[in-house]
Amino acid sequence: MPKLTVRDLNVRGKRVFVRVDYNVPLEEKDGQMAITDATRIVETLPTLRLLIEQGGKLILAAHLGRPKGKREASMSLRPVAVKLAELLGRAVAFVDDCIGEKVEKTAEVLKPGDVLLLENVRYYNEEETNDPAFAEKLAKVAEVYVNDAFGAAHRAHASTEGVARVVARRGGQCAAGLLMERELKFLGEELDNPAPPFVVILGGAKVSDKIQVIDRLLEKADALLIGGAMAYTFRLAQGHKTGKSLVEADKTETAVSALNKAKQRNVKFLLPVDDVVAEPVKTEKLDKKGKPVIDYQNVRVSSSLDCPDNAAGLDIGPQTVKNYSDEIAKSRTILWNGPMGLFEDKRFAEGTNAVARAVADVTQKGAKSIIGGGDSVKALNKAKLGDKVTFMSEGKVLPGVAALSDKK
Ligand code: AMP
C-alpha cells in the first residue's frame, strides 16, 4: 500500500511535527561547534518549503550523535537552527528541549509558515527505547506527522515511530517527506507486488532491529534466508547451544513467533545448517573506541548446530552457502539486508561474498534485486558487484515507514 506523502496533505494552520535527519558532522572551532557539511540540512529544504507554502506551522525534531540520554553540549542542535535559518532565508526558533512546557508554549504561538527546531531528541534515553509516555510528550505539539529522515526510519524510536502512532491514533495524518518519498517510490513499487519467488535474505547483528520487517515480509515472501549473528538467536530459540556467539537471549520468543508465522503461511524459513566458528580471545590492543581488540583463533567449519562453549559462530558455513545460493538462483525478486557474518574480517566474509555473487548472478538473468542496509551495500561494493544489482538503498529496515498513513 503506498504511503501518504507531504503532497497529499493540507496542513494550513496546523502544527506539523517533522522528523528530519540533521545528524550533521560538527567540529569544535574557537570553543564553538561548527557544521562541517550541511548537505543533510540542504536536502530537507524542499519538504520544508512545501510545508511552509501550504501554511503549516513546522516543528522539527532530530537527533545528533549519541549523547546516550545526557545533555551533551557538543551534541546540541542549536548550530543547526542557525544554519537552517540561513539556508531557508527565514527565522528558525529554537527551544533547548524537545518536550515540556517551553516547547508547548513556543509551539502555541507559531504562525503559519513559522519554523521551530527542537533540541536533540536523544538527550532522552526514552527516544531510543521508544518509550510510549515519551512519545506522548513529543506528540503533544503534533497535529500532523511527517517523516523525512529516511536514514533514521530503520529504527523504531519515539520520534521515528512512536509519535506517528500517537498522531494516527488521534486521527491525524502521518506522511512521508519528499526525501523519504523518493526512497520509498522504488522500494514500494518493487516490493508491493514482487514477482515470485520472492526471496528475502536477512543478516546482521540483531533480530530486534529487523523483527518488524520479518513480520511484514512473512506476508509476502516465499522464502526467508537468515544469516549473521541474528541466526544464533533463532538457534538459541530452538534449544541449541550458542557458545560465545552474539545472541539476544531476550528475543527468543520473538524468534519463535516468527518461525510459527512462517509455518502457518507456508513460507520457507531457512536457517544456517553449518557455521564458521572461532575462539574469541581478548588482546592487549585497544580499538578506536578503547575496547580490547578481539583475536579469533582456531577458525574452522562446524556442522553441529550446537556451538562449542568457547567458540562463536562468525559466518555461515559452506553447506549453508550452497542452500542459500540455490534458493537465490530460483528467485525472481530478492530483498537483501544485512551481512551473513563478521564480513569485515576476511576469514568470515565468504558467506556474505557468496550471497553477493548469487544475488548478482540471478539479477543478470533478469531477477530484481533490492539491497537495503549500509553493510550489505558495503559488502557488495567490496566484492565489486555494486553495479550488478537492481537497486541499493542505504536505508535498512523501516518501522518508521510502516508507521505512516496509507494513501487512500
Ligand atoms: P546490522 O547493522 O544489524 O546489519 O549488523 C551488521 C554487523 O553485524 C556487521 O558489522 C557484522 O560484522 C556483524 N555481524 C554479522 N554476523 C555476525 C556474527 N556472526 N557475529 C558477530 N557479528 C556479526
Side-chain angles (χ1 to χ4, degrees), residues 63-86:
H63 79 271
L64 181 60
R66 295 175 177 274
K68 305 226 163 103
K70 284 206 286 280
R71 297 188 68 91
E72 288 285 350
S74 64
M75 296 175 197
S76 167
L77 281 163
R78 193 181 285 277
V80 174
V82 176
K83 189 76 194 168
L84 177 62
E86 190 187 306

Side-chain angles (χ1 to χ4, degrees), residues 216-233:
R216 209 154 34 92
L217 288 170
L218 280 172
E219 290 171 13
K220 288 194 176 172
D222 298 293
L224 225 72
L225 319 182
I226 305 283
M230 209 162 92
Y232 302 114
T233 299

Side-chain angles (χ1 to χ4, degrees), residues 77-98:
L77 281 163
R78 193 181 285 277
V80 174
V82 176
K83 189 76 194 168
L84 177 62
E86 190 187 306
L87 291 165
L88 266 180
R90 58 168 60 226
V92 171
F94 180 78
V95 177
D96 64 0
D97 209 335
C98 60

